[in-house]
Amino acid sequence: MKYIKEAFDTNWVAPLGANVTAFENEMCDYVGRKYAVALSSGTAAIHLGLKALGVGSGDYVFCSSFTFAGSCNPITYLDAKPVFIDSDYETYNMCPEALKKAFKKIPKPKAVIVVNLYGNQANLVALQKICREHKVPILEDAAESLGTTYNGKQSGSFGEISILSFNGNKIITTSGGGMLLTDNKDWRDKVLFWATQSREDFPWYQHEEIGYNYRLSNICAGIGRGQLEVLDERVKRKRQVYELYKKEFAKNNKISMCNATVGSNPNWWLTLITLDKDCKATFMDIITALAEYNIEARPAWKPMHMQPVFKECEYFCKDTKRDVSGDLFGRSVCLPSDSKMSDEDVIFVASIVNNIVS
Ligand SMILES: *Cc1c(COP(=O)(O)O)cnc(C)c1O
Protein backbone atom coordinates (compact mmCIF):
# COMPACT_ATOMS: atom_id res chain seq x y z
CA MET A 1 0.00 0.00 0.00
CA LYS A 2 2.95 2.29 0.72
CA TYR A 3 4.29 1.91 -2.83
CA ILE A 4 0.85 2.32 -4.39
CA LYS A 5 0.19 5.42 -2.31
CA GLU A 6 3.54 6.85 -3.47
CA ALA A 7 2.44 6.36 -7.07
CA PHE A 8 -0.76 8.34 -6.46
CA ASP A 9 0.92 10.97 -4.28
CA THR A 10 3.48 11.68 -7.01
CA ASN A 11 0.74 11.41 -9.69
CA TRP A 12 2.60 8.71 -11.63
CA VAL A 13 -0.58 6.81 -12.50
CA ALA A 14 0.81 5.57 -15.80
CA PRO A 15 2.65 2.68 -17.43
CA LEU A 16 5.94 4.19 -16.25
CA GLY A 17 7.31 5.75 -13.09
CA ALA A 18 9.47 5.17 -10.04
CA ASN A 19 7.85 1.85 -9.05
CA VAL A 20 8.36 0.35 -12.52
CA THR A 21 12.06 1.23 -12.51
CA ALA A 22 12.57 0.10 -8.90
CA PHE A 23 10.68 -3.17 -9.45
CA GLU A 24 12.94 -3.94 -12.43
CA ASN A 25 16.09 -3.17 -10.44
CA GLU A 26 14.97 -5.12 -7.40
CA MET A 27 14.11 -8.15 -9.54
CA CYS A 28 17.49 -7.98 -11.32
CA ASP A 29 19.16 -8.05 -7.90
CA TYR A 30 17.01 -10.93 -6.70
CA VAL A 31 17.40 -13.17 -9.75
CA GLY A 32 20.93 -12.09 -10.59
CA ARG A 33 20.50 -10.60 -14.05
CA LYS A 34 21.68 -7.42 -15.71
CA TYR A 35 18.48 -6.16 -17.34
CA ALA A 36 14.74 -6.42 -16.80
CA VAL A 37 11.70 -5.02 -18.60
CA ALA A 38 8.42 -4.97 -16.64
CA LEU A 39 5.54 -5.87 -18.95
CA SER A 40 1.77 -6.30 -18.84
CA SER A 41 1.94 -10.12 -18.70
CA GLY A 42 4.21 -13.13 -18.89
CA THR A 43 2.68 -13.89 -22.28
CA ALA A 44 3.72 -10.42 -23.53
CA ALA A 45 7.24 -11.09 -22.22
CA ILE A 46 7.42 -14.35 -24.20
CA HIS A 47 6.07 -12.59 -27.29
CA LEU A 48 8.71 -9.84 -27.24
CA GLY A 49 11.41 -12.26 -26.05
CA LEU A 50 10.87 -14.46 -29.10
CA LYS A 51 10.83 -11.39 -31.34
CA ALA A 52 14.17 -10.27 -29.85
CA LEU A 53 15.59 -13.71 -30.62
CA GLY A 54 14.65 -13.13 -34.24
CA VAL A 55 11.63 -15.42 -34.48
CA GLY A 56 9.54 -14.57 -37.52
CA SER A 57 7.21 -15.94 -40.13
CA GLY A 58 7.69 -19.65 -40.89
CA ASP A 59 10.34 -20.25 -38.19
CA TYR A 60 10.16 -23.25 -35.89
CA VAL A 61 10.17 -22.78 -32.11
CA PHE A 62 10.48 -25.76 -29.79
CA CYS A 63 8.46 -25.66 -26.58
CA SER A 64 7.72 -27.95 -23.63
CA SER A 65 4.35 -29.61 -24.23
CA PHE A 66 3.50 -29.98 -20.53
CA THR A 67 2.70 -26.32 -19.77
CA PHE A 68 0.10 -23.58 -19.81
CA ALA A 69 -0.92 -22.19 -23.23
CA GLY A 70 0.69 -18.83 -22.38
CA SER A 71 4.08 -20.46 -23.04
CA CYS A 72 3.39 -21.18 -26.71
CA ASN A 73 0.57 -18.91 -27.89
CA PRO A 74 3.10 -16.12 -28.63
CA ILE A 75 4.89 -18.38 -31.14
CA THR A 76 1.81 -18.11 -33.31
CA TYR A 77 1.56 -14.30 -32.84
CA LEU A 78 4.84 -14.15 -34.80
CA ASP A 79 3.48 -16.49 -37.47
CA ALA A 80 6.06 -19.10 -36.43
CA LYS A 81 5.42 -22.82 -35.90
CA PRO A 82 5.33 -24.43 -32.44
CA VAL A 83 6.98 -27.85 -32.11
CA PHE A 84 6.24 -29.62 -28.85
CA ILE A 85 8.72 -31.60 -26.77
CA ASP A 86 7.73 -34.30 -24.28
CA SER A 87 8.63 -34.45 -20.57
CA ASP A 88 10.51 -37.09 -18.62
CA TYR A 89 9.21 -38.93 -15.55
CA GLU A 90 12.14 -37.74 -13.41
CA THR A 91 11.43 -33.99 -13.62
CA TYR A 92 8.05 -33.71 -15.42
CA ASN A 93 9.92 -31.11 -17.48
CA MET A 94 11.39 -31.15 -20.99
CA CYS A 95 13.11 -34.47 -21.73
CA PRO A 96 16.66 -33.97 -23.11
CA GLU A 97 16.35 -37.16 -25.19
CA ALA A 98 13.11 -35.95 -26.76
CA LEU A 99 14.78 -32.60 -27.48
CA LYS A 100 17.63 -34.39 -29.25
CA LYS A 101 15.10 -36.22 -31.41
CA ALA A 102 13.46 -32.96 -32.40
CA PHE A 103 16.84 -31.48 -33.39
CA LYS A 104 17.50 -34.51 -35.62
CA LYS A 105 14.39 -33.79 -37.68
CA ILE A 106 14.40 -29.97 -37.37
CA PRO A 107 18.02 -28.85 -36.92
CA LYS A 108 17.47 -25.08 -37.02
CA PRO A 109 14.62 -23.88 -34.80
CA LYS A 110 14.93 -20.19 -33.90
CA ALA A 111 14.51 -20.79 -30.14
CA VAL A 112 13.67 -23.38 -27.51
CA ILE A 113 11.16 -22.41 -24.82
CA VAL A 114 12.01 -24.39 -21.68
CA VAL A 115 9.35 -24.28 -18.95
CA ASN A 116 10.02 -24.84 -15.23
CA LEU A 117 6.79 -26.65 -14.41
CA TYR A 118 5.00 -26.01 -11.09
CA GLY A 119 8.23 -24.48 -9.78
CA ASN A 120 10.52 -27.42 -10.40
CA GLN A 121 13.53 -26.37 -12.47
CA ALA A 122 13.96 -28.19 -15.78
CA ASN A 123 17.19 -30.11 -16.30
CA LEU A 124 18.92 -27.02 -17.68
CA VAL A 125 22.41 -28.52 -17.58
CA ALA A 126 21.45 -31.18 -20.12
CA LEU A 127 19.10 -28.94 -22.13
CA GLN A 128 21.63 -26.08 -22.38
CA LYS A 129 24.31 -28.47 -23.58
CA ILE A 130 22.12 -29.67 -26.45
CA CYS A 131 20.97 -26.17 -27.40
CA ARG A 132 24.54 -24.82 -27.35
CA GLU A 133 25.69 -27.61 -29.63
CA HIS A 134 23.04 -26.47 -32.11
CA LYS A 135 23.67 -22.75 -31.38
CA VAL A 136 20.00 -22.20 -30.58
CA PRO A 137 19.02 -19.83 -27.73
CA ILE A 138 16.83 -20.84 -24.79
CA LEU A 139 13.91 -18.74 -23.66
CA GLU A 140 13.42 -19.84 -20.06
CA ASP A 141 9.76 -19.70 -19.01
CA ALA A 142 10.15 -19.15 -15.27
CA ALA A 143 6.54 -17.96 -14.84
CA GLU A 144 5.95 -20.61 -12.18
CA SER A 145 9.43 -20.86 -10.67
CA LEU A 146 10.39 -17.48 -9.17
CA GLY A 147 12.29 -18.28 -5.96
CA THR A 148 13.46 -21.71 -7.15
CA THR A 149 17.21 -22.23 -7.10
CA TYR A 150 19.23 -24.47 -9.38
CA ASN A 151 22.92 -25.23 -8.96
CA GLY A 152 23.26 -22.21 -6.69
CA LYS A 153 21.57 -19.71 -9.01
CA GLN A 154 18.05 -18.33 -9.15
CA SER A 155 15.49 -19.62 -11.60
CA GLY A 156 15.11 -16.99 -14.32
CA SER A 157 18.88 -16.68 -14.78
CA PHE A 158 19.32 -19.61 -17.20
CA GLY A 159 17.86 -18.51 -20.51
CA GLU A 160 19.47 -16.15 -23.04
CA ILE A 161 16.13 -14.55 -22.24
CA SER A 162 14.00 -15.55 -19.24
CA ILE A 163 10.48 -14.49 -18.37
CA LEU A 164 8.42 -14.19 -15.19
CA SER A 165 4.67 -13.85 -14.65
CA PHE A 166 2.89 -11.92 -11.92
CA ASN A 167 -0.59 -13.08 -12.83
CA GLY A 168 -3.04 -13.47 -9.94
CA ASN A 169 -2.36 -17.20 -9.57
CA LYS A 170 1.43 -17.00 -9.39
CA ILE A 171 3.68 -17.08 -6.30
CA ILE A 172 3.74 -13.28 -6.24
CA THR A 173 1.36 -11.11 -8.19
CA THR A 174 0.87 -7.59 -9.51
CA SER A 175 -2.77 -8.55 -10.26
CA GLY A 176 -1.52 -9.05 -13.81
CA GLY A 177 1.97 -8.52 -15.13
CA GLY A 178 5.19 -10.06 -16.30
CA MET A 179 8.88 -9.40 -16.79
CA LEU A 180 11.59 -10.14 -19.29
CA LEU A 181 15.11 -10.78 -17.98
CA THR A 182 18.34 -10.86 -19.94
CA ASP A 183 22.04 -9.93 -19.78
CA ASN A 184 21.96 -8.56 -23.34
CA LYS A 185 21.51 -4.79 -23.48
CA ASP A 186 20.50 -4.70 -27.16
CA TRP A 187 17.64 -7.11 -26.51
CA ARG A 188 16.55 -5.14 -23.44
CA ASP A 189 16.53 -1.88 -25.43
CA LYS A 190 14.61 -3.48 -28.32
CA VAL A 191 11.98 -5.03 -26.05
CA LEU A 192 11.44 -1.76 -24.19
CA PHE A 193 11.06 0.02 -27.54
CA TRP A 194 8.54 -2.48 -28.94
CA ALA A 195 6.60 -2.53 -25.64
CA THR A 196 6.06 1.25 -25.86
CA GLN A 197 4.60 1.32 -29.40
CA SER A 198 8.01 1.50 -31.14
CA ARG A 199 8.18 5.22 -30.73
CA GLU A 200 11.30 6.62 -32.42
CA ASP A 201 13.43 9.34 -30.87
CA PHE A 202 11.84 12.31 -32.65
CA PRO A 203 10.03 15.40 -31.30
CA TRP A 204 6.83 14.11 -32.92
CA TYR A 205 5.33 10.61 -32.93
CA GLN A 206 7.45 8.79 -35.47
CA HIS A 207 7.06 5.04 -36.09
CA GLU A 208 9.26 2.91 -38.31
CA GLU A 209 8.27 -0.46 -36.82
CA ILE A 210 5.09 -2.02 -35.47
CA GLY A 211 4.83 -1.65 -31.71
CA TYR A 212 2.82 -2.94 -28.77
CA ASN A 213 1.27 -1.45 -25.65
CA TYR A 214 2.83 -3.93 -23.24
CA ARG A 215 4.34 -1.89 -20.40
CA LEU A 216 3.46 -2.57 -16.74
CA SER A 217 1.53 0.12 -14.88
CA ASN A 218 3.31 2.04 -12.10
CA ILE A 219 0.45 1.07 -9.74
CA CYS A 220 0.87 -2.63 -10.50
CA ALA A 221 4.65 -2.34 -10.15
CA GLY A 222 4.00 -0.93 -6.67
CA ILE A 223 2.10 -4.12 -5.82
CA GLY A 224 5.03 -6.10 -7.20
CA ARG A 225 7.57 -4.27 -5.01
CA GLY A 226 5.55 -5.07 -1.91
CA GLN A 227 5.13 -8.68 -3.02
CA LEU A 228 8.84 -9.10 -3.60
CA GLU A 229 9.35 -8.40 0.11
CA VAL A 230 7.27 -11.48 1.06
CA LEU A 231 8.54 -13.79 -1.70
CA ASP A 232 11.08 -15.66 0.43
CA GLU A 233 8.49 -16.23 3.17
CA ARG A 234 6.09 -17.66 0.61
CA VAL A 235 8.67 -19.91 -0.96
CA LYS A 236 9.52 -21.22 2.49
CA ARG A 237 5.88 -22.00 3.25
CA LYS A 238 5.22 -23.58 -0.19
CA ARG A 239 8.15 -25.92 0.45
CA GLN A 240 6.71 -26.84 3.85
CA VAL A 241 3.31 -27.56 2.27
CA TYR A 242 4.96 -29.85 -0.29
CA GLU A 243 6.97 -31.67 2.41
CA LEU A 244 3.90 -32.12 4.59
CA TYR A 245 1.90 -33.61 1.71
CA LYS A 246 4.86 -35.85 0.98
CA LYS A 247 4.86 -37.10 4.55
CA GLU A 248 1.10 -37.69 4.52
CA PHE A 249 1.30 -39.72 1.29
CA ALA A 250 4.47 -41.59 2.19
CA LYS A 251 2.60 -44.73 3.16
CA ASN A 252 0.20 -44.64 0.21
CA ASN A 253 1.86 -46.68 -2.53
CA LYS A 254 -0.76 -45.55 -5.09
CA ILE A 255 0.41 -41.93 -4.89
CA SER A 256 3.71 -40.51 -6.08
CA MET A 257 4.97 -36.95 -6.25
CA CYS A 258 7.25 -35.16 -8.66
CA ASN A 259 10.72 -34.99 -7.13
CA ALA A 260 13.05 -32.02 -7.43
CA THR A 261 15.32 -32.07 -10.47
CA VAL A 262 18.91 -32.84 -9.44
CA GLY A 263 20.43 -29.51 -8.37
CA SER A 264 17.06 -27.80 -7.96
CA ASN A 265 15.43 -26.51 -4.80
CA PRO A 266 11.94 -25.80 -6.20
CA ASN A 267 9.56 -23.15 -4.89
CA TRP A 268 6.82 -25.84 -5.21
CA TRP A 269 4.37 -23.24 -6.46
CA LEU A 270 1.82 -26.07 -6.68
CA THR A 271 2.02 -29.53 -5.21
CA LEU A 272 1.09 -32.12 -7.78
CA ILE A 273 0.38 -35.78 -7.06
CA THR A 274 0.37 -38.59 -9.59
CA LEU A 275 -1.75 -41.71 -9.20
CA ASP A 276 -0.37 -45.15 -9.81
CA LYS A 277 -1.23 -46.74 -13.18
CA ASP A 278 -3.36 -49.42 -11.47
CA CYS A 279 -5.07 -47.00 -9.09
CA LYS A 280 -8.87 -47.32 -9.34
CA ALA A 281 -9.52 -43.69 -8.45
CA THR A 282 -9.05 -41.03 -11.14
CA PHE A 283 -7.87 -37.44 -10.80
CA MET A 284 -11.49 -36.37 -11.31
CA ASP A 285 -12.55 -38.54 -8.33
CA ILE A 286 -10.14 -36.57 -6.16
CA ILE A 287 -11.34 -33.23 -7.50
CA THR A 288 -14.97 -34.27 -6.89
CA ALA A 289 -14.29 -35.61 -3.37
CA LEU A 290 -12.52 -32.41 -2.33
CA ALA A 291 -15.23 -30.25 -3.92
CA GLU A 292 -17.74 -31.79 -1.49
CA TYR A 293 -15.81 -30.00 1.28
CA ASN A 294 -15.68 -26.82 -0.79
CA ILE A 295 -11.96 -27.43 -1.44
CA GLU A 296 -10.67 -26.70 -4.92
CA ALA A 297 -8.19 -28.99 -6.64
CA ARG A 298 -7.37 -28.81 -10.34
CA PRO A 299 -6.19 -31.06 -13.14
CA ALA A 300 -2.60 -30.66 -14.31
CA TRP A 301 -2.03 -28.51 -17.41
CA LYS A 302 -3.38 -30.42 -20.39
CA PRO A 303 -0.31 -30.81 -22.64
CA MET A 304 -0.18 -28.60 -25.71
CA HIS A 305 0.14 -31.48 -28.18
CA MET A 306 -3.28 -32.68 -26.95
CA GLN A 307 -4.95 -29.29 -27.50
CA PRO A 308 -7.27 -29.10 -30.51
CA VAL A 309 -5.86 -25.71 -31.50
CA PHE A 310 -2.34 -27.18 -31.84
CA LYS A 311 -3.30 -30.52 -33.40
CA GLU A 312 -1.33 -29.81 -36.58
CA CYS A 313 1.93 -29.24 -34.67
CA GLU A 314 4.72 -31.78 -34.46
CA TYR A 315 5.44 -33.52 -31.16
CA PHE A 316 8.62 -35.33 -30.15
CA CYS A 317 8.93 -38.02 -27.48
CA LYS A 318 11.96 -39.99 -26.34
CA ASP A 319 10.16 -43.19 -27.32
CA THR A 320 7.52 -42.67 -30.03
CA LYS A 321 5.22 -45.17 -28.38
CA ARG A 322 5.40 -43.49 -25.01
CA ASP A 323 3.73 -40.12 -24.47
CA VAL A 324 5.03 -39.18 -21.01
CA SER A 325 3.31 -35.77 -20.60
CA GLY A 326 -0.01 -37.20 -21.82
CA ASP A 327 0.33 -40.05 -19.34
CA LEU A 328 1.21 -37.70 -16.45
CA PHE A 329 -1.70 -35.42 -17.30
CA GLY A 330 -4.10 -38.38 -17.18
CA ARG A 331 -2.97 -39.43 -13.70
CA SER A 332 -2.13 -36.19 -11.90
CA VAL A 333 -3.91 -33.55 -9.88
CA CYS A 334 -2.81 -30.21 -8.38
CA LEU A 335 -3.68 -30.04 -4.69
CA PRO A 336 -4.41 -26.84 -2.81
CA SER A 337 -0.96 -25.38 -2.10
CA ASP A 338 -1.56 -21.88 -0.84
CA SER A 339 1.10 -20.45 1.46
CA LYS A 340 -1.74 -19.39 3.81
CA MET A 341 -2.74 -23.02 4.46
CA SER A 342 -2.16 -24.25 8.01
CA ASP A 343 -0.61 -27.65 8.69
CA GLU A 344 -4.08 -28.84 9.76
CA ASP A 345 -5.51 -27.74 6.37
CA VAL A 346 -2.87 -29.71 4.49
CA ILE A 347 -3.36 -32.80 6.67
CA PHE A 348 -7.14 -32.56 6.20
CA VAL A 349 -6.83 -32.39 2.39
CA ALA A 350 -4.36 -35.28 2.42
CA SER A 351 -6.70 -37.40 4.54
CA ILE A 352 -9.53 -36.98 2.03
CA VAL A 353 -7.18 -37.90 -0.81
CA ASN A 354 -5.82 -40.91 1.07
CA ASN A 355 -9.39 -42.05 1.70
CA ILE A 356 -10.28 -41.97 -1.98
CA VAL A 357 -7.01 -43.58 -3.01
CA SER A 358 -7.05 -46.69 -0.85
C1 LIG B 1 1.14 -18.09 -16.15
C2 LIG B 1 2.06 -18.67 -17.14
C3 LIG B 1 2.38 -17.99 -18.33
C4 LIG B 1 1.72 -16.72 -18.76
O1 LIG B 1 1.83 -15.65 -17.89
P1 LIG B 1 0.68 -14.52 -17.90
O2 LIG B 1 1.25 -13.47 -17.00
O3 LIG B 1 -0.56 -15.15 -17.33
O4 LIG B 1 0.51 -14.06 -19.28
C5 LIG B 1 3.31 -18.55 -19.18
N1 LIG B 1 3.88 -19.72 -18.91
C6 LIG B 1 3.58 -20.41 -17.80
C7 LIG B 1 4.27 -21.71 -17.56
C8 LIG B 1 2.64 -19.93 -16.89
O5 LIG B 1 2.31 -20.65 -15.82
Side-chain angles (χ1 to χ4, degrees), residues 286-312:
I286 292 174
I287 291 172
T288 310
L290 288 170
E292 277 170 35
Y293 294 88
N294 203 21
I295 297 168
E296 190 190 22
R298 293 191 190 173
W301 301 127
K302 184 175 179 178
M304 293 304 116
H305 74 279
M306 299 169 82
Q307 299 290 353
V309 72
F310 294 121
K311 68 176 186 296
E312 305 298 332

Side-chain angles (χ1 to χ4, degrees), residues 220-231:
C220 294
I223 305 175
R225 292 184 73 191
Q227 290 268 284
L228 202 46
E229 293 172 11
V230 299
L231 173 60

Side-chain angles (χ1 to χ4, degrees), residues 255-309:
I255 295 176
S256 61
M257 282 165 69
C258 180
N259 289 307
T261 301
V262 176
S264 169
N265 188 6
N267 68 10
W268 294 123
W269 170 56
L270 291 183
T271 292
L272 188 79
I273 58 166
T274 303
L275 303 171
D276 207 64
K277 279 196 197 341
D278 61 15
C279 180
K280 297 234 164 43
T282 65
F283 75 76
M284 276 313 297
D285 292 335
I286 292 174
I287 291 172
T288 310
L290 288 170
E292 277 170 35
Y293 294 88
N294 203 21
I295 297 168
E296 190 190 22
R298 293 191 190 173
W301 301 127
K302 184 175 179 178
M304 293 304 116
H305 74 279
M306 299 169 82
Q307 299 290 353
V309 72

